[in-house]
Amino acid sequence: MSTTPSAQVAVVTGAARGIGLEIAHRFQAENYHVILLDNDKATLQQCKTNLKGKGNYSFEFCDVSNPRQVQSTFQKILSRFPAIHALINNAGIAIFKPADQVTFEDWTAVMSTNLNGTFLCTQAALPGLLEAKGSIVNIASISGVRASTLRIAYGTSKAAIMHLTKQQAVEYGNRGVRANAIAPGPVETEMAKLVHSADIRTSYSDAIPLARYGTTTEIADAVYFLCSPAAAYINGQILAVDGGFDAAGVGLPSLRG
């Protein structure tokens, strides 16, 4: 579809499902043209079919861990949209294993998508972000703040994303581009419904002061806020959207009665 040069543009990676798709919807509702990137061709095609007839969406296949794909994808985007007002680095994978069972291949796969992908996409999008004086939001995780079992690669990648965000904020801020990160706690996604047992859900309810999972809408609202004029002086910050999970610390259930 044709888009006027003055339209605000948002690029969302890992956007064909879950939190990424909800973020895309949030920006589209604010009259952005949203470009959805994903490396799952079937899911991306289904997403495109589902959104057919709804304006202000574009779709690009891209594996964010592949430097050449990232470069070619963003060259294509920038040829059509010279200004990128928001870049949401959401694409990520998780491999949950005990630390001594994590292979180097596991470690590399997680780092390549989560950390390298965030770095690569930001660099590739930078000309458009500078043109728009835009905003970067990186999706980290509360697992980057609170260590827990089975997450040695995932948690480390998310902690690294938090520091990468601060580096971006310092280095790009004086050029007019802000960078912040969201650290979601447990979120009610289709994946969580499949993977989290009743026991896991009870444990999270005990540990989170609000005693519930977050919603994809709540994460998307926080992301949009950080890209909006209301957050114009917020730069280099990590916003935990976690129902108080991090603030609760140890939070022994036996001490709460």
Side-chain angles (χ1 to χ4, degrees):
M1 63 172 290
S2 61
T3 305
T4 62
S6 61
Q8 292 195 98
V9 174
V11 178
V12 185
T13 71
R17 71 181 84 190
I19 291 172
L21 182 57
E22 193 68 46
I23 292 169
H25 291 333
R26 183 68 175 84
F27 278 86
Q28 191 267 356
E30 298 292 339
N31 297 316
Y32 280 69
H33 184 92
V34 186
I35 304 165
L36 292 78
L37 273 59
D38 207 281
N39 72 340
D40 184 331
K41 287 185 178 180
T43 303
L44 187 64
Q45 182 56 50
Q46 185 60 54
C47 182
K48 186 175 182 179
T49 299
N50 293 343
L51 295 175
K52 187 175 182 179
K54 297 183 179 180
N56 291 333
Y57 289 111
S58 296
F59 306 85
E60 296 290 344
F61 170 78
C62 182
D63 178 352
V64 301
S65 71
N66 184 316
R68 290 184 179 179
Q69 279 191 29
V70 170
Q71 196 61 44
S72 63
T73 298
F74 277 91
Q75 284 176 350
K76 182 179 178 181
I77 290 170
L78 289 168
S79 69
R80 184 179 176 195
F81 303 101
I84 295 175
H85 300 79
L87 170 66
I88 316 305
N89 287 305
N90 170 71
I93 64 170
I95 296 174
F96 297 134
K97 291 181 180 179
D100 59 346
Q101 295 178 22
V102 173
T103 67
F104 183 66
E105 288 73 22
D106 294 334
W107 175 272
T108 301
V110 172
M111 294 298 168
S112 293
T113 296
N114 298 5
L115 181 57
N116 295 356
T118 299
F119 169 76
L120 290 169
C121 288
T122 303
Q123 278 205 329
L126 190 59
L129 289 164
L130 291 171
E131 178 68 23
K133 301 298 188 212
S135 180
I136 304 159
V137 176
N138 299 323
I139 305 301
S141 170
I142 208 65
S143 291
V145 179
R146 294 184 58 148
S148 61
T149 55
L150 310 181
R151 288 169 168 79
I152 194 165
Y154 180 77
T156 302
S157 74
K158 294 299 188 176
I161 286 171
M162 292 179 186
H163 191 75
L164 174 62
T165 300
K166 293 181 180 183
Q167 290 288 157
Q168 291 170 339
V170 170
E171 299 208 27
Y172 302 146
N174 61 7
R175 300 168 72 183
V177 174
R178 296 183 300 110
N180 294 287
I182 294 286
V187 178
E188 195 68 82
T189 62
E190 291 304 313
M191 183 64 71
K193 291 175 185 177
L194 290 172
V195 174
H196 288 189
S197 65
D199 184 52
I200 290 173
R201 288 178 174 276
T202 298
S203 295
Y204 274 132
S205 292
D206 285 340
I208 298 170
L210 291 186
R212 66 173 177 85
Y213 283 44
T215 68
T216 55
T217 299
E218 287 167 330
I219 303 302
D221 286 344
V223 171
Y224 177 73
F225 164 72
L226 287 175
C227 294
S228 74
Y233 201 54
I234 299 176
N235 189 37
Q237 300 304 302
I238 314 301
L239 176 60
V241 186
D242 68 346
F245 188 26
D246 177 47
V250 175
L252 294 173
S254 59
L255 296 179
R256 294 191 180 177

